Amino acid sequence: MKVIAHRGASAYLPEHTLPAKALAHGMGAHFLEQDLVASRDGELFVLHDIHLDRVTDVARRFPDRARDDGRYYAIDFTADEIRSLTVHERTNADGSAVFPRRFPVLDNDIPLRLHTLDDELRFVDGLNRSTGRRVGIYPEIKRPAWHREQGTDITRRTLDVLTRHGYTGRSDNAYVQCFDAQELSRIRHELDSDLSLVQLVGDNAWGEGPTDFAALCTPEGLVESARTVDGFGPWIELLYTFDKAGHLASSGLAESMHSLGRVVHPFTARIDALPDGFDTFMQLISFLAHSLSVDAVFTDFPDEAVLAAEAWS
């Protein structure tokens, strides 16, 4: 089972910073994830949200730049403005830490910055060269339909940057992921990309674009999706249920995905946010690896996942 560093080694350092990626690389992760959003001038930044306010000091630096909903959108800022922000651990709306026992949310300026996809690809290439490893990349195109409404075709820009760095096909140690099934179909059939594609599968209540995940998870929906994608990235809680005795059991979804010849890369394994029914991280990893035979797992704790996966190997 391969280990995908979810936003880098995000359990230990603020997410999507280059130090978090370097740490994950050194911990033995097989892939590093890059969530992508666009700036006002079209640069692709590695950032999980279309908003800036939960992981940076944007509200302090640019107090008058929020939209009517009170949020600060990356697409309203230039690349230079975004690069000037200081990154901190993810917070809730009230400023408290989402994960209180992780890297502290500090008021002083620690020089952690946001960076572009181009920056990170050059950084990963450097790490691979200096270590002799071949760690892959795993970019996610965030909210492509929303970005187009804002005037930016984030998907074309992503493919252009990947092509410039030599990522063009299935042999290039890269997966491109998205929640939007229509956009993945566009990448494959309209934009003619030969990159490995992964359909992320979440809950309809999350509002992740136009995809109906309940319909996608039906046998017919999986078959249709498999005509486009090379794999599925389901939310872990979709993969299991409880039997009459209250014991963990497979929901059958991973088996259905595998039966179509597609890889299964569930998200997100966290020691400090275990899914219902799991008492330890090792129990979670062993269930995924041994009971479901998943091909890879997204995790904030790449070191612990590597150790657990090796133990089960």
Side-chain angles (χ1 to χ4, degrees):
M1 185 183 72
K2 302 299 184 184
V3 172
I4 306 159
H6 183 245
R7 311 179 203 173
S10 55
Y12 306 106
L13 285 166
E15 64 187 56
H16 281 322
T17 57
L18 291 181
K21 301 302 173 71
L23 183 58
H25 194 287
M27 286 176 166
H30 303 96
F31 288 89
L32 304 178
E33 183 192 36
Q34 301 83 29
D35 293 306
L36 303 176
V37 304
S39 67
R40 188 172 72 193
D41 43 359
E43 290 285 349
L44 297 179
F45 275 85
V46 181
L47 177 69
H48 181 264
D49 305 332
I50 59 174
H51 312 107
L52 292 161
D53 41 279
R54 298 295 168 82
V55 293
T56 77
D57 62 346
V58 65
R60 179 175 66 84
R61 292 285 313 285
F62 300 98
D64 300 325
R65 298 278 291 278
R67 291 194 182 186
D68 291 342
D69 60 2
R71 305 301 302 272
Y72 294 78
Y73 289 75
I75 206 164
D76 294 336
F77 293 79
T78 66
D80 286 344
E81 289 172 333
I82 293 174
R83 285 184 183 278
S84 74
L85 301 174
T86 298
V87 179
H88 55 67
E89 184 65 31
R90 176 169 290 275
T91 62
N92 297 302
D94 63 1
S96 62
V98 172
F99 297 100
R101 288 178 289 180
R102 295 191 182 183
F103 198 88
V105 179
L106 301 174
D107 292 329
N108 59 310
D109 288 336
I110 295 176
L112 295 175
R113 306 295 183 192
L114 294 174
H115 59 273
T116 65
L117 176 60
D118 181 73
D119 294 332
E120 181 152 335
L121 296 184
R122 289 187 289 112
F123 187 71
V124 173
D125 181 62
L127 289 172
N128 283 343
R129 286 172 183 263
S130 63
T131 63
R133 299 187 65 218
R134 189 169 179 259
V135 174
I137 63 167
Y138 214 122
E140 179 186 345
I141 301 171
K142 304 295 289 190
R143 306 281 293 275
W146 181 87
H147 273 94
R148 280 200 298 277
E149 291 173 358
Q150 305 296 311
T152 296
D153 189 341
I154 189 174
T155 298
R156 283 187 183 273
R157 293 181 183 275
T158 299
L159 296 180
D160 287 346
V161 175
L162 293 177
T163 297
R164 289 202 305 271
H165 286 268
Y167 295 100
T168 60
R170 289 179 171 87
S171 63
D172 291 325
N173 209 26
Y175 287 95
V176 174
Q177 57 178 332
C178 192
F179 280 102
D180 189 330
Q182 293 178 1
E183 197 69 7
L184 289 169
S185 180
R186 177 178 177 239
I187 292 170
R188 178 71 79 225
H189 306 298
E190 179 183 331
L191 303 179
D192 296 322
S193 174
D194 189 47
L195 286 162
S196 296
L197 303 180
V198 169
Q199 172 67 62
L200 295 174
V201 185
D203 190 297
N204 285 341
W206 298 350
E208 286 284 351
T211 303
D212 183 342
F213 297 119
L216 191 149
C217 288
T218 64
E220 298 78 12
L222 291 174
V223 169
E224 178 62 27
S225 183
R227 295 191 176 102
T228 293
V229 301
D230 303 275
F232 295 94
W235 182 33
I236 284 174
E237 296 193 26
L238 296 174
L239 298 181
Y240 70 95
T241 185
F242 299 95
D243 62 21
K244 293 181 179 179
H247 300 136
L248 288 166
S250 172
S251 68
L253 186 59
E255 292 84 346
S256 295
M257 293 170 172
H258 275 143
S259 72
L260 295 169
R262 301 297 180 261
V263 296
V264 179
H265 298 171
F267 66 91
T268 304
R270 296 183 172 106
I271 291 175
D272 48 3
L274 291 168
D276 290 341
F278 295 93
D279 297 321
T280 66
F281 189 72
M282 176 61 86
Q283 182 191 14
L284 172 60
I285 297 299
S286 64
F287 179 79
L288 294 172
H290 183 66
S291 300
L292 300 184
S293 300
V294 304
D295 305 278
V297 63
F298 286 85
T299 180
D300 296 4
F301 296 82
D303 55 338
E304 298 290 345
V306 167
L307 291 173
E310 288 176 349
W312 275 101
S313 295

